[in-house]
Amino acid sequence: MAKATNSFKFLDTGRSRGVTVLNAVMSDFSYGKHAHEELAIGVTTKGVQEFSCKGSKFRSLPGNIILFNPGEVHDGNPGLGQTMKYTMLYLNPSKFYPLMGCASNQDLNEYRIPRTHFADPVLSSLVLEISRNALEINNSPLECEHGLYRIASRVSKIMGIFQPNNWTGVKDAELLRVRDYIHDNIEEDISIDDLSRVANISKYHLIRIFRSQFGLTPHQYILNHRINQAREVLRKGFSPTRVAHEFGFYDASHMNRHFKRAYGVTPKQYQSQLTA
């Protein structure tokens, strides 16, 4: 008979960042009924995850999303007598709901998401990406908030309240100051709090009006500008590792991930193609 395996590994990225990550393995453990103060969004990654919530029973298969609003009572156990695995993000509502508000151009300090169990490959990949890069976001407030905003945007799209990004030729003076600050300090670990102080407005209002005028959130704009600057330096033959540190990336793998998302190749591949 196989030995029972139960493992629960938490990583707290800090209350200022608003994300706690859990990677769990369960073979013969069952949760009793309980509720969280946070919004919990998880992905089943192996086996069958059985649970009950709001008077209904659910069976979650690999790739499925599980979502519990704050205060929703639920339990959980492995299904079919098999070992199951899942990843769960516990999100601080005071930080996550305003980001949903930014994505939907609404004032959202509280929001009840009606869906408890569903399939959405995009949201699943975003949840798992934060889990994989948890140590990185633990050291980078910008990276953490960027990941949260991407999840907030996806949830807003699923709920049908997302408002697409706009772009306008005329920019407000305070946003031009923010843009110039980004350009002048691109090598630094810029945070949204830094930018909100430059504009003298709240960070959530900044995110909302910035994306309406630049077509990107401040997080996206910073990453985009870093990648564009890195491209120019890579063309001169500097090593990707040096370039990553020069332009404020956490490490080379951090730059690799964002660069490939933008251009389809890694910085090293890009460099070798242009300098061959």
Side-chain angles (χ1 to χ4, degrees):
M1 182 176 178
K3 184 179 178 180
T5 301
N6 300 293
S7 172
F8 305 89
K9 296 182 179 179
F10 288 90
L11 177 63
D12 190 348
T13 63
R15 293 194 65 81
S16 64
R17 291 165 175 78
V19 184
T20 300
V21 180
L22 167 63
N23 286 299
V25 180
M26 295 166 54
S27 61
D28 65 350
F29 179 85
S30 297
Y31 288 111
K33 289 185 177 181
H34 65 287
H36 312 289
E37 294 181 353
E38 305 97 332
L39 171 68
I41 304 179
V43 180
T44 305
T45 56
K46 178 182 178 181
V48 178
Q49 189 170 5
E50 297 182 340
F51 66 97
S52 60
C53 183
K54 295 184 289 189
S56 297
K57 293 185 179 296
F58 301 90
R59 302 185 80 196
S60 183
L61 302 177
N64 289 174
I65 294 288
I66 296 172
L67 190 151
F68 303 122
N69 291 288
E72 287 185 342
V73 177
H74 59 281
D75 56 19
N77 58 270
L80 304 179
Q82 300 176 354
T83 298
M84 68 91 168
K85 298 181 180 180
Y86 73 96
T87 292
M88 185 72 76
L89 303 183
Y90 300 95
L91 309 177
N92 185 328
S94 68
K95 298 182 181 298
F96 186 76
Y97 293 141
L99 288 175
M100 282 190 64
C102 294
S104 60
N105 285 335
Q106 302 180 37
D107 291 322
L108 294 181
N109 292 316
E110 186 174 353
Y111 187 82
R112 305 298 290 182
I113 300 170
R115 303 179 71 174
T116 301
H117 175 239
F118 55 97
D120 187 87
V122 174
L123 183 56
S124 296
S125 68
L126 293 175
V127 169
L128 295 176
E129 182 176 340
I130 281 192
S131 174
R132 285 193 301 270
N133 303 315
L135 290 176
E136 183 177 294
I137 67 172
N138 191 30
N139 289 279
S140 172
L142 177 72
E143 188 70 15
C144 182
E145 199 151 55
H146 176 59
L148 283 178
Y149 180 80
R150 294 176 71 203
I151 288 178
S153 295
R154 187 61 190 176
V155 172
S156 298
K157 289 177 181 177
I158 293 169
M159 297 300 103
I161 61 174
F162 178 77
Q163 291 296 318
N165 294 342
N166 297 313
W167 190 92
T168 61
V170 179
K171 309 292 190 293
D172 292 341
E174 65 265 26
L175 294 189
L176 293 176
R177 287 198 303 272
V178 169
R179 181 202 62 187
D180 292 344
Y181 179 89
I182 292 171
H183 290 186
D184 293 341
N185 296 276
I186 198 61
E187 303 89 353
E188 306 298 326
D189 187 16
I190 303 170
S191 71
I192 302 302
D193 290 323
D194 294 331
L195 301 184
S196 68
R197 285 190 288 270
V198 171
N200 197 30
I201 56 178
S202 78
K203 69 178 183 179
Y204 297 114
H205 185 53
L206 170 65
I207 294 170
R208 189 178 301 178
I209 65 173
F210 194 97
R211 82 180 186 101
S212 72
Q213 295 193 29
F214 286 93
L216 298 168
T217 67
H219 326 84
Q220 293 166 330
Y221 189 93
I222 291 169
L223 289 168
N224 185 71
H225 189 62
R226 281 179 175 161
I227 290 169
N228 285 335
Q229 294 301 301
R231 282 179 63 213
E232 295 305 311
V233 179
L234 286 167
R235 292 172 71 100
K236 298 176 182 178
F238 290 96
S239 75
T241 299
R242 176 178 172 181
V243 173
H245 288 294
E246 183 175 343
F247 289 105
F249 292 100
Y250 178 64
D251 57 20
S253 65
H254 180 199
M255 182 174 75
N256 286 355
R257 187 172 69 257
H258 289 293
F259 195 99
K260 188 169 184 178
R261 187 179 292 153
Y263 290 102
V265 295
T266 67
K268 190 171 184 63
Q269 291 168 334
Y270 175 82
Q271 187 178 58
S272 65
Q273 291 173 14
L274 293 181
T275 58

